[in-house]
Amino acid sequence: MCRLFAFVCKIYADAFRRVSDFSNLIPNLHQMQFKHIIGQEAIKQRLMNTVKENRVSHAQLFLGPEGSGSLALAVAYAQYVSCEDKQPDDSCGVCSSCRKYQKLVHPDLHFSYPFFAKDKNDTALTFIEQWRDAFLANPYLSLDLWRGYLDAENKQANINIAECHQVIKKLSFKPFESVYKVLILWLPEYLDKEGNSLLKIIEEPQPNTLFLLVAQNQDQILNTILSRTQLVKIPALTYDDIKQALMENYHQTELAASEIAYLSNGNMTEALAMLQEENKSFHALFVQWLRLCYANRGPEVIAFVDQASKLGRENQKNFLRYGISFIRECCLLMAGAGSLVHLPPNELETAQKMTNVMDIAQAQAISDELEKAHYHVERNANPKILFLDVSLQIIKVLKFKTLPKGTLYIPN
Ligand SMILES: [Zn+2]
């Protein structure tokens, strides 16, 4: 009983830590201080210096390739500018301004971005909820990912004339709470020639406005805008930055991190997509395994064991680690803490189904088996014997509801 209680406490503690700490695998509430952004130390320093030396240019163009973190840097910079208790090397993260920034709900923070207008009066504001979700889930957002949050069909994304007027209107008000009113315009490449209507506010801004444009392709930006903004060039991330981030923040092994860092070519958006892809295939495999065990289908279990034994040691470890975290998410659902669960929709659906066939004690037993297996894989256990043994244990737990000694079965 004590062990079970400790297990549930640990799940809760993990979940809470994850929500409050950026450095974890599941991107939900991303905080956006400088320290949470991968690499780019020189840029961060330069940006903070503009504030310290009181030379914040009111119209700046953050130009960086996809996955460099340029959008995240713009948000962190705006948060720093508005912070009520600036620290030497970052915003404080706790003042009232920072707290609103962290949810992207500060009344003096505005966003503009490409979208698919269904109606000619649609503006970026129509999609602000989706925007907040998308950015907070992944600050290394790409247009493709953003498209997924919108009902895109095959329409062309752009920043329309209604939106340009909206931008002008937003920037004409005085700030409500902060010294600065900030507008972050993502992908000015998607401004048509209507973008020229913005020139006046760039040239003759209202006092205390900060207009940050975040772009990827210099060639596709209206020259009139280019010539009127201060350029902040943001380089692609380095191989080492990405590798280190994958190991520290996303719990990848050195080998896996090196591989993804190499393939991603300095693009964190790409690296995160690869990571997710890997998880996706583990998800299917893991759920298949549980199903086979639950149904006690001997021959198919043996086939799975064969397949798993050929994954290679690093993949086996990642697979088991995926399983452990998936089971934890199931436990959170069972414990009524659904709001702490961060799974993609299809995985969430499976997790919900899982809660109908197991309880927390069973989940703990499975999780323990997976932990043990992970330990043994690291120590070069024979993978066939190992996965067969774990499968038998899971069959006992799931199918026959027999829990290993030391755990207590609590009936539903
Ligand atoms: Zn602050």
Side-chain angles (χ1 to χ4, degrees):
M1 188 61 200
C2 261
R3 274 190 68 201
L4 185 61
F5 180 69
F7 178 68
V8 173
C9 289
K10 183 168 180 300
I11 293 168
Y12 269 100
D14 282 353
F16 281 114
R17 200 187 55 225
R18 212 168 48 197
V19 172
S20 59
D21 179 6
F22 172 85
S23 65
N24 221 306
L25 175 62
I26 295 103
N28 188 33
L29 285 178
H30 272 132
Q31 294 181 35
M32 212 30 69
Q33 286 168 272
F34 282 120
K35 68 177 175 204
H36 300 121
I37 298 172
I38 301 163
Q40 310 293 18
E41 296 310 325
I43 304 275
K44 291 175 188 171
Q45 210 47 60
R46 247 182 70 194
L47 289 172
M48 279 185 276
N49 286 344
T50 64
V51 181
K52 289 176 197 160
E53 294 158 14
N54 206 8
R55 48 180 182 82
V56 175
S57 173
H58 70 87
Q60 305 184 30
L61 176 67
F62 284 43
L63 181 67
E66 183 185 287
S68 60
S70 47
L71 179 60
L73 283 164
V75 176
Y77 181 46
Q79 176 168 335
Y80 184 75
V81 164
S82 310
C83 175
E84 293 154 12
D85 184 20
K86 293 180 191 54
Q87 307 294 306
D89 56 351
D90 215 331
S91 47
C92 74
V94 289
C95 71
S96 130
S97 170
C98 282
R99 286 206 308 272
K100 290 173 189 164
Y101 256 88
Q102 268 146 208
K103 294 184 202 146
L104 307 184
V105 295
H106 197 292
D108 294 316
L109 170 69
H110 302 282
F111 288 99
S112 187
Y113 34 78
F115 56 89
F116 310 94
K118 291 199 190 89
D119 183 286
K120 67 173 168 29
N121 295 321
D122 277 352
T123 63
L125 205 55
T126 317
F127 306 99
I128 187 68
E129 290 298 326
Q130 290 97 316
W131 172 258
R132 288 189 187 122
D133 287 350
F135 179 75
L136 293 175
N138 183 356
Y140 293 85
L141 193 64
S142 66
L143 185 59
D144 262 353
L145 287 174
W146 172 227
R147 214 187 283 269
Y149 281 82
L150 298 167
D151 186 12
E153 293 159 16
N154 290 319
K155 274 185 263 167
Q156 187 71 38
N158 71 350
I159 301 177
N160 64 7
I161 185 75
E163 174 59 14
C164 290
H165 289 151
Q166 187 77 17
V167 168
I168 295 167
K169 197 169 136 199
K170 278 176 183 163
L171 284 179
S172 66
F173 295 129
K174 283 201 179 102
F176 290 104
E177 295 179 4
S178 295
V179 177
Y180 279 96
K181 166 170 292 287
V182 184
L183 191 134
I184 297 177
L185 190 152
W186 186 51
L187 300 181
E189 293 93 325
Y190 293 86
L191 276 169
D192 292 333
K193 57 182 182 315
E194 288 106 18
N196 284 319
S197 61
L198 299 177
L199 296 180
K200 194 166 148 30
I201 56 160
I202 297 180
E203 264 175 349
E204 297 166 33
Q206 294 289 315
N208 297 345
T209 57
L210 180 55
F211 193 11
L212 303 175
L213 298 105
V214 181
Q216 288 173 7
N217 300 301
Q218 189 162 357
D219 305 345
Q220 292 167 22
I221 303 168
L222 296 171
N223 269 324
T224 43
I225 288 186
L226 258 182
S227 61
R228 285 167 175 82
T229 48
Q230 192 185 67
L231 187 63
V232 181
K233 265 204 166 178
I234 296 158
L237 288 170
T238 65
Y239 166 87
D240 286 334
D241 283 338
I242 292 192
K243 181 178 158 189
Q244 198 185 348
L246 290 172
M247 286 164 62
E248 284 173 12
N249 305 346
Y250 297 88
H251 310 307
Q252 293 299 296
T253 60
E254 182 162 12
L255 184 70
S258 313
E259 262 171 28
I260 295 179
Y262 172 73
L263 292 170
S264 66
N265 211 4
N267 180 341
M268 194 60 196
T269 311
E270 197 62 44
L272 290 175
M274 280 188 251
L275 211 58
Q276 217 172 31
E277 205 49 48
E278 202 166 89
N279 271 352
K280 223 188 273 169
S281 58
F282 283 151
H283 174 73
L285 191 63
F286 184 70
V287 171
Q288 185 204 4
W289 188 24
L290 292 186
R291 280 197 188 118
L292 294 176
C293 292
Y294 182 66
N296 192 16
R297 287 200 220 134
E300 288 166 75
V301 170
I302 304 289
F304 164 84
V305 168
D306 250 356
Q307 190 185 352
S309 66
K310 287 175 191 147
L311 280 175
R313 202 144 56 93
E314 286 307 316
N315 277 332
Q316 285 162 354
K317 274 159 55 186
N318 289 341
F319 172 69
L320 291 166
R321 217 176 288 144
Y322 172 82
I324 293 164
S325 52
F326 181 74
I327 294 286
R328 291 229 166 107
E329 302 291 317
C330 294
C331 289
L332 283 172
L333 282 175
M334 288 185 264
S339 60
L340 298 174
V341 173
H342 324 282
L343 288 170
N346 64 321
E347 297 187 25
L348 182 63
E349 207 187 310
T350 333
Q352 262 149 356
K353 284 183 193 152
M354 287 305 303
T355 62
N356 297 326
V357 298
M358 65 178 178
D359 57 27
I360 291 190
Q362 286 171 298
Q364 180 196 4
I366 294 174
S367 179
D368 285 350
E369 288 304 325
L370 298 174
E371 296 266 12
K372 267 192 266 171
H374 186 272
Y375 174 91
H376 290 300
V377 170
E378 261 189 341
R379 279 149 194 82
N380 282 328
N382 175 318
K384 267 197 183 173
I385 298 175
L386 179 74
F387 276 98
L388 183 60
D389 185 49
V390 183
S391 301
L392 295 174
Q393 296 304 328
I394 295 180
I395 291 172
K396 264 200 223 162
V397 172
L398 266 187
K399 170 81 181 168
F400 300 106
K401 303 194 185 234
T402 313
L403 298 183
K405 273 194 186 138
T407 44
L408 255 183
Y409 178 56
I410 302 172
N412 281 321

